[in-house]
């Protein structure tokens, strides 16, 4: 990496040489002459997201007073406004609930000390190679007095936290394999044992950061410029733009490509709306039997295993990330492989509403209520629009998305019609869902752009909120069921 030269009598000539290579505005040229020799970082990308144009995100916060107030509260609490919050600002109602819950989990009174909470966040995000979240919590961990030696690797952390690695691994990739024996080993580890309240706090943090990793990759969240991976000192390579233009997102865009894509997919949303209307009419005329419902669930569960998450080759996590967890080869696998049968998780036997909520609220007061509000907010959030259409009832579509994710995790709701899923969710969207939920580090911009191209970016962010919360609830159900079985 070449450093800028020191000031000298040839500084003027050197500055001219730079302007010959790159177009530089008057302000930047003045600064380059004044501060010659000082390396100034430039953002790797423009805006909070690689997938969403910066101007669309910034317009939201500029015109919405409620969003501005939420941003101010977040900045007062965390002394920063991260890119996740900026992207979520498309939906201020949800953002408010999300930030309130996250603030309570990380900063308010609770069973776990503050530095343990951030370290658990690092462990959880690392399982999905989410360097964005890992870096955020490395900084927070140090700020609250965490021991820097722990950051050298999980083996440097206390034994108690190391023991959490097993359920971190299982919950992140194959939560249906979690049993009461895993819980027992944590609660009966002699001097390194966990209390039930501590374990509930840890499980909520693990599931929160597993699912937030999904959202981070699914929305193409960019690191902030002050993060190690968020800036560069290399000059831009586009000769017709000033460096400050590129840093502010005014370089070459793909607006024309977006228009072409929307033209190609014209009518896609209209077809989807028509299918929703037909399904509702069929439901009104005749309701399927319980036996047929069960058959449709099993069929959808089997078909979900045929959806391939990505054609890309497996990528090994970097040393910086992999040191925070064990068994780097352990990843997602379909819950029923080579003829093995994993029993269906019947939500009627153990549901969030009737069982999980009360267990969390009893052992970690108020958190169950906050999680419930967040789940409901994502599930019920609607503006009754789809692309350019207004007064659209999207409840059937939202239910199909939620149920498909839980179906991939082997969770069945007796009164849900799983035949709706194949009618409403096309293959490209299913690939996106499965990748983002199960192997989020493989999510690409092409996959984000390939589903429902007529939707606005705000609508796709809403879809990602649904995916994130459905995943978190599915993981929580398996963890809380295992804890309940241990307790009984």
């Amino acid at each position: 990496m070449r450093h800028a030269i020191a000031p000298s009598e040839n500084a003027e000539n050197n500055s001219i040489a730079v302007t010959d290579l790159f177009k530089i505005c008057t302000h930047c040229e003045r600064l380059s002459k004044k501060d010659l020799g000082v390396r100034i970082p430039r953002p790797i990308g423009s805006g909070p997201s690689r997938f969403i144009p910066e101007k669309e995100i910034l317009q939201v916060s500029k015109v919405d007073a409620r969003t501005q107030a939420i941003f101010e509260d977040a900045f007062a609490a965390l002394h920063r406004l991260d890119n996740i919050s900026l992207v979520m600002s498309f939906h201020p109602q949800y953002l408010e609930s999300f930030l309130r819950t996250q603030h309570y989990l990380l900063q308010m009174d609770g069973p776990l000390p503050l530095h343990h909470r951030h370290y658990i966040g690092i462990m959880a995000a690392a399982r999905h190679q989410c360097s964005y979240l890992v870096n955020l919590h490395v900084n927070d961990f140090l700020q609250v007095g965490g021991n820097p030696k722990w950051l050298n690797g999980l083996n440097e952390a206390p034994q108690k936290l190391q023991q959490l690695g097993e359920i971190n691994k299982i919950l992140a990739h194959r939560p249906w394999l979690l049993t009461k024996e895993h819980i027992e080993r944590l609660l009966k580890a002699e001097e390194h044992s966990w209390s039930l309240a501590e374990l509930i706090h840890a499980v909520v943090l693990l599931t929160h950061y597993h699912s937030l990793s999904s959202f981070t990759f699914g929305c193409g969240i960019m690191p902030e410029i002050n993060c190690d991976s968020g800036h560069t000192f290399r000059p831009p390579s586009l000769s017709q733009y000033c460096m400050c233009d590129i840093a502010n997102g005014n370089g070459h865009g793909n607006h024309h490509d977006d228009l072409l894509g929307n033209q190609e997919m014209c009518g896609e949303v209209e077809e989807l709306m028509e299918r929703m209307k037909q399904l509702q009419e069929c439901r009104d005329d005749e309701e399927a039997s319980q036996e047929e419902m069960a058959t449709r669930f099993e069929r959808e569960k089997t078909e979900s295993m045929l959806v391939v998450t990505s054609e890309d080759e497996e990528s090994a996590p970097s040393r910086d990330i992999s040191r925070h967890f064990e068994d780097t080869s352990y990843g997602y696998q379909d819950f029923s492989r080579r003829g093995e049968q994993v029993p269906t998780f019947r939500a009627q036997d153990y549901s969030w509403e009737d069982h999980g909520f009360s267990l969390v609220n009893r052992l970690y007061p108020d958190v169950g209520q906050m999680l419930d509000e967040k789940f409901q907010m994502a599930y019920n959030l609607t503006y009754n629009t789809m692309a350019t259409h207004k007064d659209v009832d999207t409840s059937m579509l939202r239910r199909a998305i939620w149920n498909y994710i839980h179906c991939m995790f082997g969770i069945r709701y007796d009164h849900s019609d799983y035949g709706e899923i194949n009618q409403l969710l096309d293959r490209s969207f299913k690939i996106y869902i499965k990748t983002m939920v199960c192997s989020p580090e493989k999510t690409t911009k092409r996959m984000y752009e390939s589903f429902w191209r007529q939707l606005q970016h705000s609508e796709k962010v809403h879809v990602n909120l649904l995916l994130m919360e459905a995943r978190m609830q599915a993981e929580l159900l398996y963890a809380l069921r295992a804890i309940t079985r241990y307790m009984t």
Side-chain angles (χ1 to χ4, degrees):
M1 183 180 296
R2 296 184 61 187
H3 294 253
I5 63 172
S8 70
E9 59 183 358
N10 296 322
E12 182 72 17
N13 292 335
N14 284 316
S15 180
I16 292 173
V18 172
T19 57
D20 288 339
L21 291 172
F22 308 106
K23 181 181 177 182
I24 300 181
C25 71
T26 304
H27 176 67
C28 288
E29 185 175 4
R30 185 170 64 251
L31 287 179
S32 69
K33 292 177 181 178
K34 178 182 178 182
D35 297 325
L36 200 60
V38 177
R39 299 168 71 238
I40 300 174
R42 179 177 65 85
I44 288 290
S46 62
S49 167
R50 290 187 295 112
F51 301 169
I52 305 170
E54 181 180 19
K55 61 183 180 180
E56 291 198 28
I57 298 171
L58 295 181
Q59 284 172 355
V60 175
S61 59
K62 285 180 180 177
V63 299
D64 192 308
R66 180 180 184 179
T67 305
Q68 283 284 18
I70 295 170
F71 284 170
E72 290 168 8
D73 291 342
F75 191 84
L78 297 172
H79 309 295
R80 68 167 181 258
L81 188 60
D82 58 44
N83 286 341
I84 287 177
S85 297
L86 287 171
V87 172
M88 285 185 181
S89 67
F90 280 116
H91 307 286
Q93 282 181 294
Y94 174 85
L95 174 61
E96 191 170 24
S97 177
F98 171 86
L99 289 175
R100 181 170 58 247
T101 304
Q102 183 168 260
H103 176 71
Y104 195 92
L105 289 173
L106 292 175
Q107 295 183 278
M108 301 300 288
D109 290 342
L112 293 173
L114 297 183
H115 61 301
H116 280 209
R117 304 179 197 192
H118 291 294
Y119 197 81
I120 291 169
I122 293 169
M123 292 172 61
R127 282 263 34 138
H128 283 308
Q129 306 174 38
C130 188
S131 58
Y132 175 86
L133 290 174
V134 169
N135 289 334
L136 280 184
H137 287 282
V138 162
N139 292 331
D140 290 340
F141 172 78
L142 294 173
Q143 286 179 5
V144 297
N147 187 340
K149 289 184 178 180
W150 297 9
L151 301 177
N152 292 332
L154 184 58
N155 59 329
E156 296 282 351
Q159 185 66 29
K160 184 174 180 176
L161 286 171
Q162 291 185 42
Q163 291 173 340
L164 199 63
E166 183 71 9
I167 69 166
N168 178 31
K169 174 180 75 174
I170 295 172
L171 281 175
H173 305 297
R174 308 171 202 174
W176 47 87
L177 298 181
L178 196 67
T179 66
K180 67 178 183 180
E181 285 73 27
H182 292 108
I183 305 303
E184 183 175 20
R185 284 196 287 271
L186 290 170
L187 297 176
K188 293 186 176 181
E190 298 178 353
E191 70 269 21
H192 304 300
S193 63
W194 291 72
S195 70
L196 273 171
E198 288 175 330
L199 185 56
I200 289 289
H201 194 171
V203 161
V204 173
L205 285 169
L206 289 174
T207 57
H208 175 79
Y209 283 105
H210 293 157
S211 58
L212 191 56
S213 296
S214 287
F215 183 85
T216 300
F217 284 112
C219 289
I221 300 295
M222 291 288 294
E224 287 80 12
I225 189 173
N226 61 306
C227 295
D228 289 342
S229 55
H231 62 266
T232 181
F233 292 103
R234 291 194 303 270
S237 59
L238 302 178
S239 60
Q240 64 268 51
Y241 291 96
C242 173
M243 288 181 282
C244 65
D245 286 331
I246 298 170
N248 286 294
N250 300 321
H252 285 304
N254 60 354
H255 180 64
H256 180 65
D257 294 338
D258 290 342
L259 290 176
L260 288 176
N262 281 333
Q263 290 170 2
E264 290 173 4
M265 302 303 290
C266 185
E268 185 182 40
V269 168
E270 289 78 4
E271 291 176 8
L272 181 58
M273 290 169 58
E274 181 61 29
R275 288 198 296 272
M276 286 193 290
K277 180 181 177 181
Q278 293 173 356
L279 284 170
Q280 186 59 53
E281 291 172 351
C282 292
R283 171 178 286 189
D284 293 340
D285 293 340
E286 182 179 357
E287 187 170 337
S289 65
Q290 283 297 311
E291 291 76 12
E292 176 61 22
M293 292 279 208
T295 300
R296 290 176 183 177
F297 170 80
E298 292 299 328
R299 184 185 303 125
E300 189 58 46
K301 186 173 72 169
T302 301
E303 289 184 5
S304 74
M305 291 184 283
L306 303 178
V307 175
V308 179
T309 57
S310 174
E311 296 177 357
D312 299 334
E313 293 182 1
E314 295 287 341
S315 57
S318 68
R319 167 60 187 158
D320 285 346
I321 299 296
S322 63
R323 63 186 172 186
H324 297 301
F325 64 93
E326 298 173 330
D327 197 356
T328 58
S329 63
Y330 192 94
Y332 173 79
Q333 287 185 352
D334 291 312
F335 51 83
S336 184
R337 296 169 60 87
R338 298 185 184 88
E340 298 175 2
Q341 294 297 320
V342 176
T344 294
F345 185 132
R346 295 183 70 252
Q348 277 64 28
D349 296 335
Y350 196 94
S351 68
W352 166 254
E353 294 80 7
D354 297 331
H355 306 91
F357 168 83
S358 59
L359 177 61
V360 173
N361 239 26
R362 177 157 56 91
L363 294 171
Y364 191 5
D366 298 329
V367 169
Q369 185 65 42
M370 290 182 180
L371 291 175
D372 189 62
E373 289 174 1
K374 189 160 63 76
F375 292 149
Q376 293 295 327
M377 180 66 67
Y379 187 89
N380 294 320
L381 183 64
T382 182
Y383 306 95
N384 297 308
T385 61
M386 281 193 72
T388 58
H389 300 275
K390 298 181 179 180
D391 300 319
V392 181
D393 181 0
T394 61
S395 57
M396 180 180 291
L397 184 59
R398 285 180 276 120
R399 182 174 61 245
I401 293 171
W402 191 280
N403 286 347
Y404 180 62
I405 293 164
H406 281 211
C407 180
M408 289 194 305
F409 283 83
I411 300 173
R412 180 195 166 205
Y413 296 86
D414 284 353
H415 299 292
S416 293
D417 184 356
Y418 290 87
E420 295 175 351
I421 293 174
N422 267 339
Q423 294 292 319
L424 300 178
L425 311 185
D426 60 33
R427 186 166 183 80
S428 66
F429 187 35
K430 284 184 175 182
I431 291 173
Y432 176 78
I433 292 176
K434 190 170 183 180
T435 303
M436 181 181 152
V437 171
C438 302
S439 305
E441 62 277 6
K442 297 180 181 179
T443 308
T444 65
K445 184 177 182 180
R446 177 182 56 80
M447 295 166 63
Y448 172 88
E449 292 176 340
S450 68
F451 79 90
W452 298 346
R453 295 189 189 184
Q454 287 177 277
L455 291 192
Q456 303 294 320
H457 286 291
S458 61
E459 293 173 304
K460 290 199 171 187
V461 171
H462 181 196
V463 168
N464 287 346
L465 295 178
L466 269 174
L467 304 187
M468 173 174 71
E469 295 297 347
R471 176 191 175 169
M472 182 178 182
Q473 191 181 90
E475 280 191 39
L476 266 180
L477 283 173
Y478 278 107
L480 297 175
R481 185 182 67 168
I483 292 172
T484 299
R485 286 178 172 176
Y486 166 79
M487 293 170 65
T488 56

